[in-house]
Coordinates of all heavy atoms in Angstrom, one line a residue:
M1427 N 20.0 20.7 23.0 CA 20.0 19.6 22.0 C 19.4 20.1 20.6 O 18.3 20.7 20.6 CB 19.1 18.4 22.5 CG 19.3 17.1 21.8 SD 18.3 15.8 22.5 CE 16.8 16.1 21.7
K1428 N 20.1 19.8 19.6 CA 19.6 20.2 18.3 C 18.6 19.2 17.8 O 18.7 18.0 18.1 CB 20.8 20.2 17.3 CG 21.6 21.4 17.3 CD 22.6 21.4 16.2 CE 23.5 22.6 16.2 NZ 24.6 22.6 15.1
R1429 N 17.6 19.7 17.1 CA 16.7 18.7 16.5 C 16.8 18.8 14.9 O 16.8 19.9 14.4 CB 15.2 19.1 16.8 CG 15.0 18.8 18.3 CD 13.6 19.2 18.7 NE 13.5 18.9 20.2 CZ 13.2 17.7 20.7 NH1 12.9 16.7 19.9 NH2 13.3 17.5 22.0
I1430 N 17.1 17.7 14.4 CA 17.3 17.6 13.0 C 16.1 17.0 12.2 O 15.5 16.0 12.7 CB 18.6 16.7 12.7 CG1 19.8 17.3 13.4 CG2 18.8 16.6 11.2 CD1 20.3 18.7 13.0
C1431 N 15.7 17.6 11.1 CA 14.6 17.2 10.4 C 14.8 15.7 9.9 O 15.8 15.4 9.4 CB 14.3 18.1 9.2 SG 13.0 17.6 8.2
H1432 N 13.8 14.9 10.1 CA 13.8 13.5 9.7 C 13.8 13.3 8.1 O 14.2 12.4 7.6 CB 12.6 12.7 10.3 CG 12.7 12.5 11.7 ND1 13.8 11.8 12.3 CD2 12.0 13.0 12.8 CE1 13.6 11.8 13.6 NE2 12.5 12.5 13.9
Q1433 N 13.2 14.4 7.5 CA 13.0 14.3 6.0 C 14.2 14.8 5.3 O 14.6 14.2 4.3 CB 11.7 15.1 5.7 CG 10.5 14.7 6.3 CD 10.1 13.3 6.0 OE1 10.2 12.9 4.9 NE2 9.7 12.6 7.0
C1434 N 14.8 15.9 5.7 CA 15.9 16.6 4.9 C 17.1 16.9 5.7 O 18.0 17.6 5.2 CB 15.3 17.8 4.2 SG 14.9 19.1 5.3
Q1435 N 17.2 16.5 7.0 CA 18.3 16.7 7.8 C 18.8 18.2 8.0 O 20.0 18.5 8.3 CB 19.6 15.9 7.3 CG 19.5 14.4 7.7 CD 18.5 13.6 7.0 OE1 18.3 13.7 5.8 NE2 17.6 13.0 7.8
T1436 N 17.8 19.0 7.9 CA 18.0 20.5 8.3 C 17.8 20.7 9.7 O 16.9 20.0 10.3 CB 17.1 21.3 7.4 OG1 17.2 21.1 6.0 CG2 17.3 22.8 7.8
E1437 N 18.5 21.6 10.4 CA 18.2 21.9 11.8 C 16.9 22.6 11.9 O 16.6 23.5 11.2 CB 19.3 22.9 12.3 CG 19.2 23.0 13.9 CD 20.3 23.9 14.4 OE1 21.4 24.0 13.8 OE2 20.1 24.4 15.5
M1438 N 16.1 22.1 12.9 CA 14.7 22.5 13.0 C 14.6 23.6 14.0 O 15.5 23.9 14.9 CB 13.9 21.4 13.5 CG 13.8 20.2 12.5 SD 12.8 18.8 13.0 CE 11.1 19.4 12.5
I1439 N 13.5 24.4 13.9 CA 13.2 25.5 14.8 C 12.4 25.0 16.0 O 11.4 24.4 15.8 CB 12.4 26.6 14.2 CG1 13.3 27.2 12.9 CG2 12.0 27.7 15.1 CD1 12.4 28.0 12.0
K1440 N 13.0 25.2 17.2 CA 12.3 24.6 18.4 C 11.3 25.5 19.1 O 11.3 26.7 18.7 CB 13.4 24.1 19.4 CG 14.3 23.0 18.9 CD 15.2 22.5 20.0 CE 16.2 23.6 20.5 NZ 17.0 23.1 21.6
D1441 N 10.7 25.0 20.1 CA 9.9 25.9 21.0 C 8.6 26.5 20.3 O 8.2 27.6 20.7 CB 10.7 26.9 21.7 CG 11.4 26.3 22.9 OD1 11.0 25.4 23.5 OD2 12.5 26.9 23.2
C1442 N 8.1 25.9 19.3 CA 6.9 26.4 18.7 C 5.7 25.9 19.5 O 5.6 24.8 20.0 CB 6.7 25.9 17.3 SG 8.1 26.6 16.2
K1443 N 4.8 26.8 19.8 CA 3.6 26.5 20.6 C 2.6 25.7 19.8 O 2.4 26.0 18.7 CB 3.0 27.8 21.1 CG 1.9 27.6 22.2 CD 1.5 28.9 22.7 CE 0.3 28.7 23.8 NZ -1.0 28.5 23.2
V1444 N 2.1 24.7 20.5 CA 1.1 23.8 19.8 C -0.3 24.2 20.3 O -0.5 24.3 21.5 CB 1.4 22.3 20.1 CG1 0.3 21.5 19.4 CG2 2.7 22.0 19.7
S1445 N -1.2 24.5 19.4 CA -2.6 24.7 19.9 C -3.6 24.3 18.8 O -3.2 24.3 17.6 CB -2.9 26.2 20.3 OG -2.6 27.0 19.1
V1446 N -4.7 23.9 19.2 CA -5.7 23.5 18.4 C -6.6 24.8 18.0 O -6.8 25.6 18.9 CB -6.7 22.5 18.9 CG1 -7.8 22.0 18.0 CG2 -5.8 21.3 19.4
E1447 N -6.9 25.0 16.8 CA -7.7 26.2 16.4 C -9.0 26.3 17.2 O -9.7 25.3 17.4 CB -8.0 26.1 14.9 CG -8.3 27.5 14.4 CD -8.4 27.5 12.8 OE1 -8.1 26.5 12.2 OE2 -8.7 28.6 12.2
G1448 N -9.2 27.5 17.7 CA -10.3 27.7 18.6 C -10.1 27.3 20.1 O -11.0 27.5 20.9
D1449 N -9.1 26.6 20.4 CA -8.8 26.2 21.7 C -7.3 26.4 22.0 O -6.4 25.7 21.4 CB -9.1 24.7 21.8 CG -8.6 24.1 23.2 OD1 -8.3 24.9 24.1 OD2 -8.7 22.9 23.3
F1450 N -7.0 27.4 22.8 CA -5.6 27.8 22.9 C -4.9 27.1 24.1 O -3.8 27.5 24.6 CB -5.5 29.3 23.1 CG -6.1 30.0 21.9 CD1 -7.3 30.6 21.9 CD2 -5.3 30.1 20.7 CE1 -7.9 31.2 20.7 CE2 -5.8 30.7 19.6 CZ -7.1 31.3 19.6
S1451 N -5.5 26.1 24.6 CA -4.8 25.4 25.8 C -3.8 24.4 25.4 O -3.1 23.9 26.2 CB -5.9 24.7 26.6 OG -6.7 23.9 25.8
G1452 N -3.7 24.1 24.1 CA -2.6 23.3 23.6 C -2.9 21.8 23.8 O -4.0 21.4 24.1
I1453 N -1.9 21.0 23.5 CA -2.0 19.5 23.6 C -1.3 19.0 24.8 O -0.1 19.3 25.0 CB -1.5 18.9 22.3 CG1 -2.5 19.3 21.2 CG2 -1.5 17.3 22.4 CD1 -2.0 18.8 19.8
K1454 N -1.9 18.2 25.7 CA -1.3 17.7 26.9 C -1.0 16.2 26.7 O -1.8 15.5 26.2 CB -2.2 17.9 28.0 CG -1.5 18.0 29.4 CD -2.5 18.6 30.4 CE -2.7 17.7 31.5 NZ -3.7 18.2 32.5
I1455 N 0.3 15.8 27.0 CA 0.6 14.4 27.0 C 0.6 13.9 28.4 O 1.3 14.4 29.3 CB 2.1 14.2 26.4 CG1 2.2 15.0 25.1 CG2 2.4 12.8 26.2 CD1 1.4 14.6 24.0
T1456 N -0.1 12.8 28.7 CA -0.3 12.3 30.0 C 0.2 10.8 30.1 O -0.2 10.1 29.1 CB -1.7 12.5 30.5 OG1 -2.1 13.8 30.4 CG2 -1.8 12.0 32.0
Q1457 N 0.9 10.4 31.1 CA 1.2 9.0 31.4 C 0.6 8.6 32.7 O 0.9 9.3 33.7 CB 2.7 8.8 31.3 CG 3.1 7.3 31.5 CD 4.5 7.1 31.7 OE1 5.2 7.9 32.3 NE2 5.0 6.1 31.0
K1458 N -0.1 7.5 32.7 CA -0.7 7.0 34.0 C 0.4 6.2 34.7 O 1.2 5.5 34.1 CB -1.8 6.1 33.7 CG -3.1 6.9 33.5 CD -4.3 5.9 33.5 CE -5.6 6.8 33.4 NZ -6.8 6.0 33.2
R1459 N 0.4 6.4 36.0 CA 1.3 5.7 36.9 C 0.7 4.9 38.0 O -0.5 5.3 38.3 CB 2.4 6.7 37.5 CG 3.3 7.2 36.6 CD 4.2 8.2 37.3 NE 5.4 8.5 36.6 CZ 6.3 9.5 37.1 NH1 6.1 10.0 38.3 NH2 7.3 9.8 36.4
K1460 N 1.3 4.0 38.6 CA 0.8 3.4 39.8 C 1.2 4.3 41.0 O 2.2 5.1 41.0 CB 1.5 2.0 40.0 CG 1.0 1.0 38.9 CD 1.9 -0.3 39.0 CE 1.7 -1.1 37.9 NZ 2.8 -2.2 37.8
G1461 N 0.4 4.1 42.1 CA 0.8 4.7 43.3 C 0.2 6.1 43.5 O -0.7 6.5 42.8
M1462 N 0.8 6.9 44.4 CA 0.3 8.2 44.8 C 0.2 9.2 43.7 O -0.7 9.9 43.5 CB 1.1 8.7 46.0 CG 0.6 8.3 47.3 SD 1.7 8.7 48.7 CE 1.7 10.6 48.5
F1463 N 1.4 9.4 43.1 CA 1.4 10.3 42.0 C 1.0 9.6 40.7 O 1.9 9.1 40.0 CB 2.8 10.9 41.8 CG 3.3 11.6 43.1 CD1 4.1 11.0 43.9 CD2 2.8 12.9 43.4 CE1 4.5 11.6 45.1 CE2 3.2 13.5 44.6 CZ 4.1 12.8 45.4
N1464 N -0.3 9.4 40.5 CA -0.7 8.4 39.6 C -0.8 8.9 38.1 O -1.2 8.1 37.2 CB -2.0 7.7 40.0 CG -3.1 8.7 40.2 OD1 -2.9 9.9 39.9 ND2 -4.2 8.3 40.8
S1465 N -0.4 10.1 37.9 CA -0.2 10.5 36.5 C 0.8 11.6 36.4 O 1.0 12.4 37.3 CB -1.5 10.8 35.8 OG -1.9 12.1 36.3
I1466 N 1.4 11.7 35.2 CA 2.4 12.8 34.9 C 1.9 13.4 33.5 O 1.5 12.6 32.7 CB 3.8 12.3 34.9 CG1 4.7 13.4 34.5 CG2 4.0 11.1 34.0 CD1 6.0 13.5 35.4
S1467 N 2.1 14.7 33.5 CA 1.7 15.2 32.2 C 2.6 16.4 31.8 O 3.4 17.0 32.6 CB 0.2 15.8 32.3 OG 0.2 16.9 33.2
A1468 N 2.7 16.7 30.5 CA 3.4 17.7 30.0 C 2.8 18.3 28.7 O 2.0 17.6 28.0 CB 4.8 17.1 29.6
K1469 N 3.0 19.5 28.5 CA 2.5 20.1 27.3 C 3.4 19.9 26.1 O 4.6 20.1 26.2 CB 2.3 21.7 27.5 CG 1.1 22.0 28.2 CD 0.6 23.4 27.8 CE -0.8 23.6 28.4 NZ -1.2 24.9 28.3
A1470 N 2.8 19.5 25.1 CA 3.6 19.2 23.8 C 4.0 20.5 23.2 O 3.3 21.5 23.1 CB 2.7 18.4 22.9
K1471 N 5.2 20.6 22.7 CA 5.7 21.6 21.9 C 6.0 21.1 20.5 O 6.0 19.8 20.2 CB 7.1 22.2 22.4 CG 6.9 22.9 23.7 CD 8.3 23.4 24.2 CE 8.2 24.2 25.5 NZ 9.6 24.6 25.9
A1472 N 6.3 22.0 19.6 CA 6.6 21.4 18.2 C 7.9 22.1 17.7 O 8.3 23.2 18.1 CB 5.4 21.9 17.2
S1473 N 8.6 21.4 16.9 CA 9.7 21.9 16.1 C 9.4 21.9 14.6 O 8.7 21.0 14.2 CB 11.0 21.2 16.5 OG 10.8 19.8 16.2
V1474 N 9.8 22.9 14.0 CA 9.4 23.0 12.5 C 10.6 23.2 11.7 O 11.6 23.8 12.0 CB 8.6 24.4 12.4 CG1 8.2 24.7 10.9 CG2 7.3 24.3 13.2
C1475 N 10.7 22.4 10.6 CA 11.7 22.5 9.7 C 11.6 23.7 8.7 O 10.5 23.8 8.1 CB 11.8 21.2 8.9 SG 13.1 21.3 7.6
P1476 N 12.5 24.6 8.7 CA 12.4 25.8 7.8 C 12.7 25.4 6.4 O 12.4 26.3 5.5 CB 13.4 26.7 8.4 CG 14.5 25.9 9.0 CD 13.7 24.6 9.5
N1477 N 13.1 24.3 6.1 CA 13.4 23.9 4.7 C 12.3 23.2 4.0 O 12.0 23.5 2.9 CB 14.7 23.0 4.7 CG 15.2 22.7 3.3 OD1 15.4 23.7 2.5 ND2 15.4 21.5 3.0
C1478 N 11.6 22.2 4.7 CA 10.6 21.4 4.0 C 9.2 21.5 4.7 O 8.3 21.0 4.2 CB 11.0 20.0 3.9 SG 11.0 19.0 5.4
G1479 N 9.2 22.1 5.9 CA 7.9 22.2 6.6 C 7.5 21.1 7.5 O 6.4 21.0 8.0
Y1480 N 8.4 20.1 7.6 CA 8.2 19.0 8.5 C 8.0 19.5 9.9 O 8.7 20.3 10.4 CB 9.3 18.0 8.4 CG 9.1 16.7 9.3 CD1 8.3 15.7 8.8 CD2 9.8 16.6 10.5 CE1 8.2 14.5 9.6 CE2 9.6 15.5 11.3 CZ 8.8 14.5 10.8 OH 8.7 13.3 11.6
V1481 N 7.0 18.9 10.7 CA 6.7 19.3 12.1 C 6.9 18.1 13.0 O 6.3 17.0 12.6 CB 5.3 19.8 12.2 CG1 4.9 20.1 13.7 CG2 5.0 21.1 11.4
A1482 N 7.6 18.2 14.0 CA 7.7 17.1 15.0 C 7.3 17.7 16.4 O 7.6 18.8 16.8 CB 9.2 16.8 15.1
F1483 N 6.5 16.8 17.1 CA 6.1 17.1 18.5 C 7.1 16.6 19.5 O 7.7 15.5 19.3 CB 4.7 16.5 18.8 CG 3.6 17.2 18.0 CD1 2.9 16.4 17.1 CD2 3.3 18.5 18.1 CE1 1.9 17.0 16.3 CE2 2.3 19.1 17.3 CZ 1.6 18.3 16.4
Y1484 N 7.3 17.3 20.6 CA 8.1 16.8 21.6 C 7.7 17.4 22.9 O 7.0 18.4 23.0 CB 9.6 17.1 21.3 CG 9.9 18.6 21.3 CD1 10.5 19.1 22.5 CD2 9.7 19.4 20.3 CE1 10.9 20.5 22.5 CE2 10.0 20.6 20.3 CZ 10.6 21.3 21.5 OH 10.9 22.6 21.4
I1485 N 8.2 16.9 24.0 CA 8.1 17.6 25.4 C 9.4 17.8 26.0 O 10.4 17.0 25.7 CB 7.1 16.7 26.3 CG1 7.7 15.3 26.4 CG2 5.7 16.7 25.8 CD1 7.0 14.5 27.6
D1486 N 9.5 18.8 26.8 CA 10.7 19.0 27.6 C 10.9 18.1 28.8 O 12.0 17.9 29.2 CB 10.8 20.5 28.1 CG 11.1 21.5 26.9 OD1 11.7 21.0 25.9 OD2 10.7 22.6 27.0
E1487 N 9.7 17.7 29.4 CA 9.8 16.9 30.6 C 9.9 15.4 30.3 O 9.4 14.6 31.1 CB 8.5 17.2 31.4 CG 8.4 18.6 31.8 CD 7.7 19.5 30.7 OE1 7.5 19.0 29.6 OE2 7.3 20.7 31.0
F1488 N 10.5 15.0 29.3 CA 10.6 13.6 28.9 C 11.2 12.8 30.0 O 10.9 11.5 30.2 CB 11.2 13.3 27.6 CG 12.6 13.8 27.5 CD1 13.7 13.0 27.8 CD2 13.0 15.1 27.1 CE1 15.0 13.4 27.7 CE2 14.2 15.5 27.1 CZ 15.3 14.7 27.4
K1489 N 12.1 13.3 30.8 CA 12.8 12.5 31.8 C 11.8 12.1 33.0 O 12.2 11.3 33.7 CB 14.0 13.3 32.4 CG 15.1 13.3 31.3 CD 16.3 14.2 31.8 CE 17.4 14.2 30.7 NZ 18.2 15.3 30.8
D1490 N 10.8 12.9 33.2 CA 9.8 12.5 34.2 C 8.9 11.4 33.9 O 8.2 10.9 34.7 CB 8.9 13.8 34.5 CG 9.8 14.9 35.0 OD1 10.8 14.7 35.5 OD2 9.3 16.1 34.9
F1491 N 8.9 11.0 32.6 CA 8.1 9.9 32.1 C 8.8 8.6 32.3 O 10.1 8.5 32.1 CB 7.7 10.0 30.6 CG 6.6 11.1 30.4 CD1 6.8 12.4 30.7 CD2 5.4 10.7 29.9 CE1 5.8 13.4 30.5 CE2 4.4 11.6 29.7 CZ 4.6 12.9 30.0
D1492 N 8.1 7.6 32.7 CA 8.7 6.3 32.9 C 8.7 5.5 31.6 O 7.9 5.7 30.8 CB 7.9 5.4 33.9 CG 8.1 6.0 35.3 OD1 9.2 6.5 35.6 OD2 7.2 5.8 36.1
K1493 N 9.7 4.6 31.4 CA 9.8 3.8 30.2 C 8.8 2.7 30.3 O 8.4 2.2 31.4 CB 11.2 3.2 30.1 CG 12.2 4.2 29.8 CD 13.5 3.6 29.3 CE 14.6 4.6 29.0 NZ 15.4 5.0 30.2
Ligands
ZN2397 ZN1 13.1 19.3 6.5

C-alpha cells in the first residue's frame, strides 16, 4: 500500500524506525481488550515525506486491533 503525504501528496518513504532519543525500544501502541487476550500491541513505524518532511506514524498489525 502506498502512503501519500497529507500535506503535498508526494509518495512517502515507509518502514522508518521510530525511537525516542536515549531509548531505542521505540513506541508501542496498545489496545486493551476484554477476555483472555486482554491486550494487543504493535510497534509504531513512521513514514517520511521526502518532499516536505511530513512524518506519519502507522502500524503493520492494524488488522489485529478491534474497532
Ligand atoms: Zn509532503
Side-chain angles (χ1 to χ4, degrees):
M1427 192 179 85
K1428 280 186 183 177
R1429 290 181 183 273
I1430 303 297
C1431 177
H1432 290 295
Q1433 302 300 318
C1434 67
Q1435 278 68 53
T1436 302
E1437 189 179 336
M1438 299 179 81
I1439 299 163
K1440 295 189 294 183
D1441 278 332
C1442 296
K1443 189 172 180 279
V1444 181
S1445 60
V1446 181
E1447 199 169 357
D1449 172 13
F1450 299 102
S1451 53
I1453 294 174
K1454 208 163 117 181
I1455 312 295
T1456 305
Q1457 182 187 39
K1458 280 193 176 174
R1459 285 178 168 179
K1460 294 171 190 163
M1462 271 172 59
F1463 303 100
N1464 55 8
S1465 74
I1466 176 137
S1467 65
K1469 274 207 172 167
K1471 292 180 176 178
S1473 53
V1474 176
C1475 175
N1477 188 51
C1478 74
Y1480 181 81
V1481 174
F1483 293 118
Y1484 67 98
I1485 55 167
D1486 284 333
E1487 297 87 347
F1488 60 92
K1489 284 175 184 158
D1490 296 337
F1491 282 66
D1492 288 330
K1493 289 193 181 87

